[in-house]
Amino acid sequence: MSENDIELGQSSSKSKLSEEPPVDASEPESFYRDASTTKGMNHHQPSRPSSWVHVIPEDKDASSRESSQEDPPTKPGIPPRTKKPQSRSSVDVDDNESKNLKVEHRNLKKEYEETRQDLRSAWHENKEQSLEIRDLKKHNAHLKETIRTHADPKSYKDQIMSERRKFYEHVDMLDDHIAHLKHQLEKTKLHMDQLTFQTREANEEKAAYENKLQTLQKQNARLNEDLTECRDDILRLQPPSQIPDSKIAEEYSSLYQQIASWVDDEADDTQFMETSLTDLATDKKAPELLRAYLDPDLIRLTKKHSDAEPLVLRYIIQLHLHRVILADDIYLFGLDEHNITMLRSIEHAMEALEPKRDTLTIQRWRSETLQALAKIDGFQAEQQRQATIVSKDLWAALTYLLPELTTDGKPGWKRLHETVTSPAVQLATNMRFSTSCYRIIAHLPRSSSASPGQNNVIYHPDIQRFTIMDVATQKVLRQDSVLKVAEDGRIGENVMVLQPLLLRMQRDTHGGIALCKPTVAIKLDEPMAKRAKGVRALGALSSWFGGEQEPTRS
């Protein structure tokens, strides 16, 4: 392409770019703005909306003609001329002309719209051609630069050499990069081979460990089964958990200490109690509970020793608790007779089973059965109800002897129930839960020094076996107490048992082991003598310094 052709193209593009579509003053600016952004619009695009109405300019000459056809204005003094009515034929002619004008107007409007659409399409085509011309200009400039470069052979050769040098450098760089990639590929293949080998070994070890794990799991399952069987065997062989003897003995001693504490707090009016005991034999309103526990000897004893009245109260309370709660023939306090009969029948039936059940097996069954029974809410409520009845009956009997019992704002029997009856019920329940057999001996065991028919006689060696209290002084006798001892060892006579003996019976023998010694109140044959404190103390003091020994007791 020559330079003249390029210049010709530029001049023609300038002439075409200078041409613009005519703008109708009646058209809105948005119409042309929309038309400029639309490409490839054909001649048959839809017309503008029906709401756009093309306003035809008024024909001033026509209006002037119409006004000239009107009657001239009248002159003053001259009457106006009357307008002649038009004929029917002239009116029809005017109507036809009006219709023709309307049709012609519509046709002109349609032709106007078509012309305007053609103009718009031509304008868009002109715009596209202008864009093509712009691209041709750019290409033309590039060709000029190329022609100018080729016109100078030296610069062209230098450029070719430079481009060739750059190409070779790029090829060398690519060769180095390819060599590096090959080296990395070799290293990667070697590493992959190592990883494959290690993975194969790891898979083999994993398979071996999985086989070993399955074997161990089977062994573990068998061991668990064996362990379960062993545990069941151990549970069957070992005795159920038992309350130790020490706890039973502690609860037993605490019960009688609480009885003594309650009596010491309540027994203040000893004169009224002495009168009530005197009238007990003749008063028909006296409680039968007191008549059953108090014999004439005790009543005479209280008349002779007024300080012995609190001991009598303790004696009455312990007798009643032993009879209604702690007795050996009570299967379980709070359990009704029907269930007691059924449980005893089961125990007798177990003795007849084959193989024969021994006594320990039956006692274990009884212990577990009673412990399960005690967890039932109904049994607990019934046991509490019966314990309340015991407290109320005992309190009603004691108010005959001590009418001024303190209440501390509670019902009169409430403190007696909390302090005495409830601990007794708990003790009795724990004794029945145990597989061991406990017995409470209300009477004193026969002394080795006693003669036949002398069960109430207390001898001096009994001081080690019993806790002995003097009725007259309410002092506890000790081994070194100054007492008058008869030739056979007698020191007095038993009056009442304040705390019975507690035994745990042995299964193989008929004997038992004493857990708590009995506490008895005795009447001494001779009053207990006083010690010579000054002389004994002086003799003891001289013996410390190597002097004379302490004088012997007479």
Side-chain angles (χ1 to χ4, degrees):
M1 182 182 293
S2 62
E3 295 181 0
N4 295 328
D5 297 335
I6 295 171
E7 292 175 357
L8 179 62
Q10 291 178 354
S11 60
S12 62
S13 62
K14 289 180 180 179
S15 61
K16 290 185 178 181
L17 287 173
S18 61
E19 296 177 359
E20 292 182 356
V23 180
D24 189 0
S26 63
E27 295 294 336
E29 295 180 359
S30 61
F31 172 80
Y32 295 101
R33 185 163 53 248
D34 296 339
S36 63
T37 58
T38 307
K39 297 179 66 176
M41 183 180 296
N42 54 16
H43 297 284
H44 301 285
Q45 289 183 343
S47 62
R48 75 180 75 179
S50 61
S51 60
W52 292 8
V53 179
H54 184 74
V55 180
I56 302 174
E58 296 180 356
D59 189 359
K60 296 181 179 180
D61 296 335
S63 61
S64 62
R65 286 194 303 268
E66 289 178 359
S67 61
S68 63
Q69 292 177 1
E70 294 179 356
D71 293 337
T74 59
K75 295 183 179 180
I78 300 175
R81 293 183 303 176
T82 59
K83 189 176 182 179
K84 295 181 180 181
Q86 296 179 357
S87 62
R88 182 178 299 275
S89 61
S90 63
V91 172
D92 293 337
V93 170
D94 292 337
D95 291 339
N96 292 330
E97 290 179 357
S98 176
K99 290 179 181 180
N100 294 330
L101 288 174
K102 288 181 180 180
V103 171
E104 185 178 359
H105 177 264
R106 281 195 299 270
N107 295 332
L108 291 174
K109 185 177 180 181
K110 184 175 180 181
E111 291 177 359
Y112 172 77
E113 291 294 333
E114 291 177 353
T115 305
R116 191 164 63 89
Q117 292 293 338
D118 294 340
L119 179 61
R120 186 183 302 166
S121 299
W123 185 84
H124 283 295
E125 290 177 359
N126 189 11
K127 186 176 180 181
E128 292 176 357
Q129 291 176 0
S130 65
L131 294 176
E132 293 177 359
I133 290 171
R134 185 183 61 187
D135 295 338
L136 289 174
K137 283 182 179 181
K138 291 181 181 179
H139 184 65
N140 191 12
H142 178 70
L143 290 177
K144 282 183 178 182
E145 183 66 23
T146 304
I147 292 170
R148 190 181 298 110
T149 303
H150 286 288
D152 188 2
K154 185 177 181 180
S155 60
Y156 179 70
K157 184 177 180 180
D158 293 339
Q159 185 178 2
I160 292 176
M161 292 300 293
S162 176
E163 294 293 334
R164 183 180 298 173
R165 190 182 305 108
K166 291 180 181 179
F167 174 75
Y168 287 148
E169 289 177 356
H170 185 67
V171 170
D172 293 338
M173 185 182 65
L174 291 178
D175 290 338
D176 294 339
H177 186 64
I178 291 172
H180 176 70
L181 291 178
K182 288 181 178 180
H183 180 67
Q184 292 293 331
L185 179 61
E186 294 296 331
K187 290 176 62 177
T188 305
K189 287 182 177 179
L190 180 61
H191 185 62
M192 287 297 297
D193 294 337
Q194 293 177 355
L195 291 179
T196 304
F197 179 73
Q198 293 177 0
T199 304
R200 188 181 301 109
E201 290 183 346
N203 290 332
E204 292 176 357
E205 292 180 358
K206 179 182 177 183
Y209 282 125
E210 287 180 351
N211 294 332
K212 187 176 180 180
L213 178 61
Q214 293 178 359
T215 304
L216 292 177
Q217 287 177 349
K218 293 179 181 179
Q219 293 179 359
N220 190 22
R222 287 195 299 269
L223 292 176
N224 285 332
E225 294 176 358
D226 296 340
L227 180 61
T228 303
E229 294 179 359
C230 292
R231 188 183 295 111
D232 295 340
D233 293 339
I234 291 173
L235 291 176
R236 284 192 295 267
L237 293 175
Q238 73 177 17
S241 58
Q242 293 297 313
I243 300 174
D245 293 342
S246 59
K247 185 176 181 180
I248 297 294
E250 182 181 357
E251 291 182 357
Y252 187 80
S253 301
S254 176
L255 171 63
Y256 288 96
Q257 290 175 4
Q258 289 174 340
I259 293 174
S261 176
W262 185 88
V263 170
D264 292 340
D265 294 339
E266 303 295 342
D268 295 334
D269 193 354
T270 57
Q271 184 177 0
F272 184 85
M273 182 177 177
E274 181 179 354
T275 304
S276 300
L277 289 173
T278 303
D279 299 338
L280 183 63
T282 58
D283 189 4
K284 296 182 180 180
K285 296 181 180 180
E288 292 296 330
L289 187 146
L290 297 179
R291 294 178 186 273
Y293 298 144
L294 294 177
D295 53 15
D297 294 337
L298 286 177
I299 297 175
R300 285 194 296 270
L301 179 66
T302 55
K303 291 181 179 179
K304 184 176 181 180
H305 302 286
S306 59
D307 294 338
E309 293 168 355
L311 301 180
V312 174
L313 286 178
R314 290 172 58 182
Y315 176 69
I316 294 172
I317 293 173
Q318 72 90 7
L319 278 182
H320 187 65
L321 294 179
H322 180 266
R323 184 172 67 87
V324 299
I325 298 177
L326 299 170
D328 296 336
D329 57 348
I330 298 177
Y331 195 84
L332 180 64
F333 180 77
L335 192 62
D336 59 285
E337 290 296 330
H338 174 73
N339 288 321
I340 292 174
T341 303
M342 181 184 65
L343 293 176
R344 291 187 187 276
S345 301
I346 293 174
E347 291 182 10
H348 293 313
M350 290 177 67
E351 295 177 354
L353 293 176
E354 292 295 338
K356 188 176 182 180
R357 305 302 192 268
D358 56 358
T359 305
L360 180 59
T361 302
I362 297 175
Q363 289 175 348
R364 288 176 180 174
W365 175 87
R366 182 196 305 134
S367 173
E368 293 180 354
T369 302
L370 295 182
Q371 290 182 34
L373 184 63
K375 299 293 184 180
I376 302 176
D377 295 337
F379 172 78
Q380 295 176 1
E382 178 63 19
Q383 190 180 57
Q384 184 65 25
R385 187 187 69 83
Q386 294 188 20
T388 302
I389 294 175
V390 173
S391 299
K392 289 181 178 180
D393 292 344
L394 183 58
W395 180 81
L398 295 178
T399 53
Y400 181 83
L401 300 177
L402 298 173
E404 298 298 331
L405 292 176
T406 59
T407 60
D408 297 333
K410 300 178 181 179
W413 57 269
K414 195 70 176 179
R415 185 168 180 270
L416 178 66
H417 178 79
E418 295 174 353
T419 308
V420 177
T421 310
S422 293
V425 172
Q426 185 63 39
L427 172 64
T429 304
N430 290 337
M431 291 170 63
R432 297 302 180 266
F433 285 170
S434 177
T435 56
S436 301
C437 180
Y438 298 98
R439 290 190 62 187
I440 297 176
I441 309 299
H443 60 275
L444 289 182
R446 180 181 177 85
S447 176
S448 59
S449 304
S451 302
Q454 295 181 346
N455 293 334
N456 292 333
V457 177
I458 302 298
Y459 296 90
H460 191 272
D462 293 335
I463 296 177
Q464 296 180 350
R465 301 171 57 215
F466 311 144
T467 300
I468 301 176
M469 181 182 296
D470 182 18
V471 173
T473 61
Q474 295 189 10
K475 293 182 179 180
V476 177
L477 303 183
R478 296 183 299 180
Q479 192 68 25
D480 58 350
S481 298
V482 181
L483 302 172
K484 183 177 180 180
V485 183
E487 294 180 357
D488 57 353
R490 172 179 172 145
I491 59 175
E493 182 180 355
N494 176 32
V495 177
M496 65 186 91
V497 178
L498 301 178
Q499 176 179 323
L501 173 65
L502 176 63
L503 292 177
R504 179 174 62 81
M505 306 306 296
Q506 297 179 349
R507 297 184 182 90
D508 299 334
T509 61
H510 297 287
I513 299 174
L515 300 180
C516 291
K517 295 192 300 183
T519 301
V520 296
I522 68 170
K523 181 175 66 175
L524 293 173
D525 294 338
E526 294 291 338
M528 187 167 46
K530 296 182 179 181
R531 300 175 183 176
K533 294 183 179 179
V535 176
R536 295 169 66 88
L538 182 60
L541 183 62
S542 61
S543 63
W544 276 100
F545 291 96
E548 296 179 356
Q549 297 293 330
E550 183 180 358
T552 57
R553 300 189 185 94
S554 57

